[in-house]
Amino acid sequence: MSILASSASPVLLFATGASKGLGKAIAVSFAKAFQKKKITKAQAVLMARSCMDDTENLMVQEHNALQICQRRLDLADLNTLEPKFQDIWTQFPPSSATHALLINCAGTTGTVGPTSHLTLTEIEKATRLNLVSKLWVSSRFAQTYSPVCATTTIANISSMCSIKATPTMALYCATSAGRDIFHQVLAQDDDNNNLRVLNYAPGSCDTDMQSFLRTHDSLDSHVQAYCQSLETDQKLVDPNETADELVRRLLDQDFESGQRIEYTDVSTYKY
Ligand SMILES: NC(=O)c1ccc[n+]([C@@H]2O[C@H](COP(=O)([O-])OP(=O)(O)OC[C@H]3O[C@@H](n4cnc5c(N)ncnc54)[C@H](OP(=O)(O)O)[C@@H]3O)[C@@H](O)[C@H]2O)c1
């Protein structure tokens, strides 16, 4: 069922990592798509630690009837995760929407450097945000919304690092791969037959994460040269373009639940 089948059906959108980079581009792309498809009853909940006024303003420019709520929270703080999300689910209950969407996007590279030198603290820190928190958010979102809403859709923002071992980026690779398989199983375990899950690898995007990698001393020299060449050769993906493709697929439900979709041809990753 396309989410756009009836423009009168209320849509509830939750987007993590919405303060900048890809998450911001995805939030704005949704606003643009809702406007184009005349979806008037849409609410968006934006999540990140820092202010999301810029994202909100861009969304309102695209769709001035969109209701937007910012929630500033640290997704790596596992002690506060449950009460904070309970509060959000209560404010935006499943009964208020026909279609519920989660864009599970917030993330970090974690420590970059030789895998045999990783400390317990570094492993735990990267895993807390990139794995534990993100798995829990998707799981609880499915539990809360799929028994009630006509469609419940989850996009796990994946990476080519899920399928390509990348020197000095073991934490990023391992947590990305772990999320992918978790979301595949989440799709299989759908009891209500209305949960749709997509693992979406957005390509190497022109965001702060890429500029961090280009200049990070501990990144493998071949990987770094590759990251630098993406910028020099203007091969970085425009976050707005990959966001538009993701949003189109989600709203048209143009994917198999549990599928992994790559924005960029994986054979182009040369390092
Ligand atoms: N850029 C790429 O080439 C690329 C490629 C494949 C996949 N991805 C994935 O795409 C996602 C977004 O990446 P990006 O490139 O847009 O990175 P980015 O520019 O660094 O943005 C990261 C986002 O995550 C949020 N975030 C980080 N730590 C958080 C925390 N503890 N609690 C809540 N929010 C937190 C940040 O918000 P605050 O700092 O305001 O909290 C920000 O909105 C990541 O999952 C990344 O792995 C990126």
Side-chain angles (χ1 to χ4, degrees), residues 131-170:
L131 202 60
V132 181
S133 160
K134 292 177 70 122
L135 303 193
W136 180 83
V137 169
S138 285
S139 170
R140 186 53 60 89
F141 183 76
Q143 184 190 75
T144 305
Y145 289 91
S146 77
V148 180
C149 296
T151 66
T152 298
T153 307
I154 296 173
N156 164 48
I157 301 303
S158 181
S159 163
M160 57 106 177
C161 286
S162 299
I163 54 170
K164 185 164 172 63
T166 304
T168 65
M169 293 194 68

Side-chain angles (χ1 to χ4, degrees), residues 16-24 26 47-52 72-77 104-109 129-130 133-134 157-161 172 176 179 200-210 213 230 236-237 239 269:
T16 72
S19 58
K20 61 178 181 170
L22 184 61
K24 178 179 176 181
I26 294 169
M47 289 172 260
R49 289 168 302 183
S50 45
C51 178
M52 288 159 279
R72 290 177 68 172
L73 76 175
D74 183 352
L75 289 162
D77 182 358
N104 202 336
C105 180
T108 168
T109 57
L129 175 65
N130 281 2
S133 160
K134 292 177 70 122
I157 301 303
S158 181
S159 163
M160 57 106 177
C161 286
Y172 189 71
S176 296
R179 285 202 309 278
Y200 184 76
S204 300
C205 301
D206 194 1
T207 66
D208 286 356
M209 189 177 275
Q210 280 290 331
L213 291 173
L230 288 176
L236 281 167
V237 171
Y269 294 119

Side-chain angles (χ1 to χ4, degrees), residues 56-74:
E56 180 167 344
N57 290 338
L58 290 169
M59 292 175 81
V60 170
Q61 278 172 30
E62 297 291 348
H63 189 322
N64 61 14
L66 198 58
Q67 289 178 39
I68 301 167
C69 169
Q70 291 183 33
R71 285 301 181 104
R72 290 177 68 172
L73 76 175
D74 183 352

